[in-house]
Amino acid sequence: MVTKHTIKYAALGLAMLGATTGASASDADNFPSKPIQFLVAAGAGGGTDNFARVVRPMFEEAMGGARITVVNLPAASGALAHQRTATSAADGHTLDFASTTLVTSLAAGQNPVGLDQLTPVARMQSDVMALFVNPERFPDFESFVKYAEENPGKVTVGGTHTASPDHVTFLSLRDASGLDMNFIPYDSTGNATANVLGGNIDATTTSLSPLLSYIEAGQMMPILVFSDERLEDYPDVPTTVENNWDLTDGNDRAIFVHADTPAPILQRLEKAFKEVYDSEDYQSYAERVNLDYREGWMGSDEYRQRLENNYELYSRLLQND
């Protein structure tokens, strides 16, 4: 029987083998020397998948016509994609496209592949998280807080599955605010939203982009955004920072490689993705899907530090849940 621990130890052993057979720094001059794989740690049609497929032709051009295939590996919250990247040759030809779920599932003990086996190339998206309600019930954040204070333990906030970005966003808010609230997991953002609209739960924590059509229809409204500054499209909605809560993490989408990838290859990959990010085509795409509320780019070193900090925070929050 294959257990989680079996997979973990197998992954670790293969990762060591991959490190011994990986590319040397001198191979960077000939990179890429074979087709590149984009392993998507999510199913087809979702945000991470769309991100990888939009980036693909732009990245091919930036890399001088490199051949790229996209493979979806959604199993176990994307852990299979992380394992395959960690056990591949450390030569930069296997790229892991992942969301914040990589670090939240790691903090929850659901993902056996850590930041010692993978390293970020870059972050390119950071979808703003928010607390959403039916505006007919809660016109603003103050009314929500008042209700929560008057009804301790009775407020329910929904979101996608346990240890998801939605869940850790809720835990972060509960921890910072001290409000006595409970989280209800659903299998999709759509189901969580439907239960808010149906009055079965009081609110949902999720990113802005999936709920834009509901916002435009007046059915849902963000009453608190996890951001440093108020968003131009929602000037009346307060931020976490305004409440003296240092909570600004979004649902990120980033690219990872084997941790032992030679520095010259990692740097070349980072440079190519920055070229893609700065292109008119990519910025038009980001604007079209409302991923331009804040700066998405974060280079390898800066993003690694952010991930390590988030891992510590999420581990504490999930352990205390």
Side-chain angles (χ1 to χ4, degrees), residues 224-276:
L224 179 74
V225 292
F226 288 63
S227 175
D228 292 288
E229 300 178 351
R230 294 197 179 197
L231 304 182
E232 183 177 348
D233 290 348
Y234 307 100
D236 297 327
V237 179
T239 72
T240 47
V241 173
E242 286 178 42
N243 285 275
N244 296 316
W245 303 327
D246 185 20
L247 307 174
T248 59
D249 291 321
N251 188 7
D252 298 343
R253 295 188 181 95
I255 306 98
F256 296 80
V257 291
H258 193 299
D260 294 330
T261 301
I265 291 179
L266 179 61
Q267 290 163 5
R268 183 165 183 195
L269 288 168
E270 182 180 356
K271 181 180 179 182
F273 279 113
K274 185 61 163 66
E275 182 180 327
V276 169

Side-chain angles (χ1 to χ4, degrees), residues 111-132:
N111 171 18
V113 181
L115 297 174
D116 57 333
Q117 295 171 265
L118 297 177
T119 196
V121 177
R123 185 190 78 178
M124 293 181 69
Q125 296 178 359
S126 184
D127 202 352
V128 177
M129 303 297 288
L131 177 68
F132 289 90

Side-chain angles (χ1 to χ4, degrees), residues 37 42 49 74 93 112 120 124 133 200 219 224 244 262 277:
Q37 275 198 329
D49 178 60
H93 290 86
M124 293 181 69
V133 297
N200 299 318
Q219 297 175 298
L224 179 74
N244 296 316
Y277 182 83

Side-chain angles (χ1 to χ4, degrees), residues 43-259:
T48 305
D49 178 60
N50 290 336
F51 164 52
R53 293 179 188 278
V54 166
V55 164
R56 174 185 174 179
M58 304 179 200
F59 186 73
E60 286 177 335
E61 182 178 353
M63 293 301 296
R67 289 178 295 159
I68 296 173
T69 58
V70 179
V71 181
N72 293 90
L73 296 171
S77 299
L80 184 58
H82 312 325
Q83 291 169 357
R84 189 170 296 184
T85 304
T87 57
S88 67
D91 59 7
H93 290 86
T94 302
L95 305 180
D96 183 359
F97 279 68
S99 70
T100 295
T101 301
L102 183 150
V103 72
T104 60
S105 62
L106 179 63
Q110 300 172 350
N111 171 18
V113 181
L115 297 174
D116 57 333
Q117 295 171 265
L118 297 177
T119 196
V121 177
R123 185 190 78 178
M124 293 181 69
Q125 296 178 359
S126 184
D127 202 352
V128 177
M129 303 297 288
L131 177 68
F132 289 90
V133 297
N134 180 339
E136 293 184 357
R137 186 170 181 202
F138 299 110
D140 50 37
F141 184 56
E142 289 77 10
S143 61
F144 177 86
V145 170
K146 181 180 179 182
Y147 177 81
E149 290 174 341
E150 293 175 350
N151 297 274
K154 296 182 179 180
V155 173
T156 51
V157 179
T160 51
H161 57 86
T162 302
S164 67
D166 295 357
H167 186 205
V168 297
T169 295
F170 163 81
L171 293 176
S172 298
L173 176 61
R174 187 177 69 178
D175 181 67
S177 67
L179 295 174
D180 187 357
M181 305 181 291
N182 298 297
F183 184 79
I184 308 296
Y186 293 92
D187 61 1
S188 70
T189 299
N191 281 341
T193 304
N195 277 276
V196 174
L197 295 176
N200 299 318
I201 57 176
D202 300 303
T204 182
T205 45
T206 191
S207 50
L208 280 164
S209 56
L211 295 192
L212 289 174
S213 61
Y214 291 95
I215 297 171
E216 292 171 358
Q219 297 175 298
M220 297 284 285
M221 183 65 191
I223 55 172
L224 179 74
V225 292
F226 288 63
S227 175
D228 292 288
E229 300 178 351
R230 294 197 179 197
L231 304 182
E232 183 177 348
D233 290 348
Y234 307 100
D236 297 327
V237 179
T239 72
T240 47
V241 173
E242 286 178 42
N243 285 275
N244 296 316
W245 303 327
D246 185 20
L247 307 174
T248 59
D249 291 321
N251 188 7
D252 298 343
R253 295 188 181 95
I255 306 98
F256 296 80
V257 291
H258 193 299

